[in-house]
Every structure is written in C-alpha cells, then in structure tokens.
Amino acid sequence: MVFDQASGDTHFLDALAFELLELADSQPLEVEPLSRLLFDDAPTLQDGEAEFRVHSALRHLQALGLLHEQLS
C-alpha cells in the first residue's frame, strides 16, 4: 500500500509494482535491465513475458501518478 501525499490517494500495489517503485529511486527506468534484475531466476517465463510485465507495471505506476520519469 502506498499513500500519495500529493493527491491524498492510497494505492494498493502488487509486489512487482511496489518493487519497481522502490527501484525507481536508485536506477533508470529501463525495461530490459529491470526485467533481468527482477526475473532472472524465473526460467518458466515465456520470451518477452518479463519485459511485458515490467512495462505494464511501470505504465500503471505512471497512470496512477506515482512515477513521472519516462520509460526507456
């Protein structure tokens, strides 16, 4: 759960979105490197699935107004 002081909204985030939000403070929002970092030990994912999940979660965070950095 994340409270956005600017809007006064409380957002319930899944584990991936929460971890990405924390990582956004320490590194650029690049989908491929973040996917490797977060899903490198998940060999059951299909090709491109990790990138899709990360990209979708980052877009969701942007839509909520919790991320303002551009995706690369």
Side-chain angles (χ1 to χ4, degrees):
M1 181 169 28
V2 174
F3 178 71
D4 183 357
Q5 290 182 347
S7 69
D9 294 332
T10 298
H11 304 284
F12 294 94
L13 304 177
D14 64 15
L16 175 59
F18 188 77
E19 191 162 359
L20 287 168
L21 192 58
E22 288 184 326
L23 287 171
D25 287 336
S26 63
Q27 61 188 45
L29 296 178
E30 297 176 1
V31 172
E32 189 176 331
L34 286 169
S35 300
R36 282 194 311 269
L37 176 68
L38 296 170
F39 290 102
D40 196 36
D41 61 343
T44 59
L45 294 178
Q46 299 292 324
D47 286 343
E49 188 176 352
E51 288 88 356
F52 176 78
R53 286 183 181 185
V54 168
H55 188 264
S56 295
L58 289 171
R59 296 301 251 172
H60 180 70
L61 290 170
Q62 284 181 322
L64 293 173
L66 297 174
L67 284 180
H68 303 286
E69 187 177 337
Q70 293 296 318
L71 302 178
S72 29

